[in-house]
């Protein structure tokens, strides 16, 4: 479905110029968009730090309606995907444009399964890192290094190479993620097992040891698979935009995924799940919540409520709803009754959602608010939370990378700027120069 152009135009009146007609575009869903590309030929460009009101591309993959709390992947609502499919079906959906038939699903699952192992020499790459390295630092390095192992199919213009790269990344990210965990605790790497599900295999590689099998709990396996689904893709978020911008120069897909991992790591983005759990632990008790709510409102205090707010959602994040239900399922299955962090989370949400500051700014819990509690209950260490987000988001990143490379008029991304520095000036001879005012 291409964008629907209904010949509407916006008229821009700039003093000294004839009125400029700017086409108004309309996608199949979402608001109308003013196409400002013609501005350049009139010597003007737009200013929109953080791209709050700027579309960087056209895409068919995901649609979000922030006001209504809607998230669609290729048209399917996230709540239906999270409860009626599994992560590999969602990977197939994102890559191919629709959900697989039973035969297609079986074939896809088999292809992914036979790519879960990593090259033996990658094991020694881990040894270059200190044992106490943050797993996200390791993942940034290892993901980029994958291009050194797969240069035999890095022709980004070859659809078969693009598909094989997507399969390799979907299959290998859980293996690499579990390896980053095992390396950090000094345990041997566990090889993937072909008879386990995608989520079950990850749990096995995380928690099994050569001395003891890990028995996959089906409730935990389903909860983790659902967490993968809820993190799979989310339009042009910071990390996906980083992958697209890196890819727009023709960079290889593994280097672009490394750029996505690096961007996701920030606490304002994918690092929020780790930051949120640490915040809940720091709050510690329900009684201390008002103190932290006050800090979140204090403009002089950089503290923000991690897991709250979203650039697009000005309603409840539909993923947070599913995540909250899954959280209660996991705690029930594990017979965890008085989970102090959950008590703080539930009370924090209740207070925040009745507080004028948060209501006025439409700050609701987002996908990161409850995910950390589930991962913590499963026994996954806090510094692995964003690694799991990166594992799950890899399908979104590579699908957008493919969509961008399939776009016939895709161009290198090169934003402009408003220059506010020094006007032209001449260099003074060294002996005549005054001290430069210290900045750092
Ligand atoms: C993800 O883009 C995506 O789709 C991302 C993601 C994905 O799937 O890829 O959904 C995943 O990154 C979710 C967001 C995770 N981040 C956090 O939970 C960190 C805490 N949240 C904030 O840092 C913030 O809400 C952002 C970064 C998520 C959104 O920031 P915006 O859109 O730039 O909003 P803003 O900073 O302009 O905030 C608007 C107002 C400000 O107050 P005023 O200047 O109007 O007085 O709301 C306030 C902010 O100070 N505010 C918060 C707040 N978030 C915004 N105040 C307290 N606590 C918060 N969490």
């Amino acid at each position: 479905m291409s964008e629907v152009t209904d010949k509407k135009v916006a008229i821009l009146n700039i003093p000294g110029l004839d009125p400029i007609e700017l086409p108004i575009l309309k996608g199949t869903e979402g608001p109308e968009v003013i196409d400002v590309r013609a501005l350049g030929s009139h010597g003007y460009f737009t200013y929109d730090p953080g791209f709050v009101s700027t579309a960087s591309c056209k895409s068919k993959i995901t649609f979000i309606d922030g006001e209504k709390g809607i998230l669609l992947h290729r048209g399917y609502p996230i709540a239906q995907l999270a409860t009626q499919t599994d992560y590999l079906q969602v990977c197939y959906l994102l890559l191919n444009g629709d959900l697989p038939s039973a035969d297609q699903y079986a074939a896809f699952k088999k292809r992914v399964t036979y790519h879960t192992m990593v090259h033996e020499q990658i094991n020694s790459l881990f040894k270059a890192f200190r044992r106490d390295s943050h797993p996200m630092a390791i993942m940034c390095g290892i993901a980029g290094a994958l291009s050194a192992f797969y240069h035999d199919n890095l022709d980004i213009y070859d659809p078969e190479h693009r598909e094989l790269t997507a399969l390799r990344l979907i299959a290998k990210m859980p293996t690499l993620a579990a390896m980053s965990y095992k390396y950090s605790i000094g345990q041997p790497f566990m090889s993937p097992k072909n008879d386990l599900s995608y989520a079950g295999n990850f749990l096995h590689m995380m928690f099994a040891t050569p001395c003891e099998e890990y028995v996959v709990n089906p409730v935990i396996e389903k909860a983790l698979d659902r967490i993968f689904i809820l993190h799979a893709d989310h339009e042009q978020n910071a990390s996906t935009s980083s992958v697209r911008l890196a890819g727009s120069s023709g960079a290889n897909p593994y280097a672009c995924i490394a750029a996505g991992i690096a961007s996701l790591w920030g606490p304002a983005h994918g690092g929020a799940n780790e930051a949120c759990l640490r915040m809940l632990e720091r709050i510690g008790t329900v009684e201390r919540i008002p103190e932290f709510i006050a800090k979140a409102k204090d403009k002089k205090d950089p503290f923000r409520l991690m897991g709250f707010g979203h650039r697009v959602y000005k309603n409840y994040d539909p993923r947070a709803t599913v995540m909250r239900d899954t959280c209660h399922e996991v705690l029930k299955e594990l017979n965890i009754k008085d989970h102090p962090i959950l008590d703080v989370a539930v009370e924090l949400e209740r207070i925040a959602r009745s507080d004028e500051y948060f209501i006025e700014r439409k700050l609701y819990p987002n996908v990161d608010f409850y995910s950390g509690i589930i991962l913590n209950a499963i026994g996954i260490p806090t510094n692995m939370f964003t690694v799991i987000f990166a594992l799950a988001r890899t399908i979104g990143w590579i699908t957008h990378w493919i969509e961008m490379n399939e776009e016939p008029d895709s161009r290198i991304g090169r934003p402009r700027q408003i220059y506010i520095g020094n006007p032209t000036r001449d260099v003074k001879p060294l002996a005549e120069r005054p001290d430069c005012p210290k900045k750092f």
Side-chain angles (χ1 to χ4, degrees), residues 234 268-269 299 304-305 307-308 310-311 319 366 393:
H234 214 238
H269 188 14
K299 289 302 162 205
R304 285 193 165 176
L305 281 188
F308 268 82
H310 199 276
R311 169 60 57 75
R319 301 169 297 175
N366 57 47
R393 183 53 56 88

Side-chain angles (χ1 to χ4, degrees), residues 6 13 18 36 47 49 65 83 128 146 163 165 179 190 206 208 234 238 244 248 251 299 326 332 372 389 391 419 434:
D6 54 8
N13 291 305
D18 294 336
V36 295
Y47 176 60
D65 183 321
T83 51
L146 287 177
E163 192 209 16
T165 299
M179 289 170 81
M190 294 304 293
M206 282 284 291
H234 214 238
R244 279 180 171 263
S248 71
K299 289 302 162 205
T326 305
K332 183 163 169 262
F389 195 148
L391 183 172
Y419 176 67

Side-chain angles (χ1 to χ4, degrees), residues 64-92:
I64 300 171
D65 183 321
E67 292 302 328
K68 297 183 188 135
I70 290 172
L71 167 55
L72 305 177
H73 289 318
R74 302 284 189 184
Y76 294 107
I78 188 65
Q80 291 184 33
L81 293 172
T83 51
Q84 298 174 46
T85 72
D86 67 14
Y87 179 70
L88 283 184
Q89 290 179 54
V90 171
C91 289
Y92 188 99

